[in-house]
Amino acid sequence: MKPDARGEEKARIKPDARGEETPRAERGVIFLNGEPYRGAMDCAGAFTVCCDGALRWAEGRAHIDVKAGDFDSLGFVPEGALTYPAEKNFTDGEIALELLLGRGCTRIDIYGAGGGREDHLFGNLQLLLAGFRRGAFTVMHTNYVDAYCARGQVCWRGLRGRTLSLAPAGERAHIIESEGLKYPLCDLTLRAGSCRGISNVIAADEARILCDAGTLFVFEVREEATW
């Protein structure tokens, strides 16, 4: 993939802080060619885009509306697929995200984004920020973690005991206050290059933080990895 030097600004839409109430008709799902996703997937009523080698594990488990990508990993081009050259300025994940944003999706779930290659994982995290900036609550589901971007007030209900990690999406993000966490966060600036914010715990049935400056990457750990 050649470097992308476009740098153009995208139209901004008011962010959807959490997206739980998003109507099903406005939902999109992306299947990526990372670690095969083994958990249950919520795809009912969503418009789905399957990228390249993800077809191996997603086909037969969920309805697929569009197959898109360069298909260098799959090894053949499926019938009716949207094909792109292998040497391009976009990843297959970016192509899928753009397709769903173009359809007006305001909630996008990404499956199969973890594992395999860490550079791909880092790139897939950028999809969360890109979707967030365009007004879509975008969630990446790996086999262990749900990750998304947020700012303002972020609330968790019914997740007592779950590990929670926070990191700045950029140079810094400021958390002015928190409730219901094992390690309280008060007037705390999370900075790039620091691991502060990793491995907190939701300690109450209702917990929240208020991020009054910057944007956060939020990681909710569903399952601890065993080695």
Side-chain angles (χ1 to χ4, degrees):
M1 186 177 70
K2 296 184 296 182
D4 180 1
R6 295 168 302 146
E8 71 267 21
E9 285 295 312
K10 300 292 188 180
R12 297 292 192 261
I13 306 172
K14 184 178 179 182
D16 177 6
R18 282 280 297 177
E20 291 93 335
E21 303 303 322
T22 301
R24 291 286 184 174
E26 297 180 5
R27 291 185 63 243
V29 168
I30 299 172
F31 304 122
L32 288 182
N33 185 33
E35 183 179 30
Y37 188 77
R38 64 171 183 261
M41 299 184 294
D42 180 12
C43 304
F47 187 87
T48 60
V49 181
C50 185
C51 295
D52 205 330
L55 190 65
R56 294 191 184 98
W57 61 265
E59 193 169 42
R61 294 184 60 195
H63 171 76
I64 296 172
D65 291 293
V66 173
K67 300 167 187 176
D70 52 39
F71 298 101
D72 57 347
S73 298
L74 188 62
F76 67 93
V77 178
E79 184 178 354
L82 295 178
T83 59
Y84 299 82
E87 294 186 0
K88 57 187 183 303
N89 289 333
F90 309 91
T91 65
D92 288 347
E94 286 180 293
I95 290 169
L97 181 68
E98 193 62 37
L99 287 171
L100 293 178
L101 291 172
R103 293 183 64 89
C105 293
T106 55
R107 162 86 190 216
I108 298 172
D109 292 275
I110 302 174
Y111 295 96
R117 281 176 47 180
E118 283 75 9
D119 55 337
H120 284 177
L121 175 60
F122 181 79
N124 293 335
L125 287 171
Q126 306 312 305
L127 301 180
L128 306 182
L129 185 58
F132 177 80
R133 287 175 170 173
R134 303 266 304 271
F137 178 63
T138 307
V139 191
M140 182 175 77
H141 308 279
T142 74
N143 285 324
Y144 302 100
V145 168
D146 298 325
Y148 53 91
C149 286
R151 68 166 65 100
Q153 181 162 269
V154 188
C155 301
W156 299 274
R157 297 179 178 87
L159 299 180
R160 181 193 288 264
R162 184 167 294 190
T163 299
L164 175 74
S165 291
L166 305 170
E171 283 296 318
R172 61 183 61 85
H174 184 259
I175 300 173
I176 191 169
E177 62 184 17
S178 71
E179 293 180 4
L181 300 182
K182 181 177 180 179
Y183 306 110
L185 308 176
C186 181
D187 192 21
L188 172 66
T189 299
L190 298 178
R191 301 180 186 278
S194 169
C195 293
R196 183 74 182 273
I198 301 299
S199 292
N200 209 323
V201 178
I202 299 174
D205 291 333
E206 294 193 10
R208 69 176 186 90
I209 60 170
L210 180 58
C211 175
D212 63 336
T215 302
L216 293 167
F217 281 117
V218 181
F219 301 88
E220 300 174 6
V221 180
R222 295 192 324 276
E223 178 183 341
E224 297 288 347
T226 56
W227 309 103

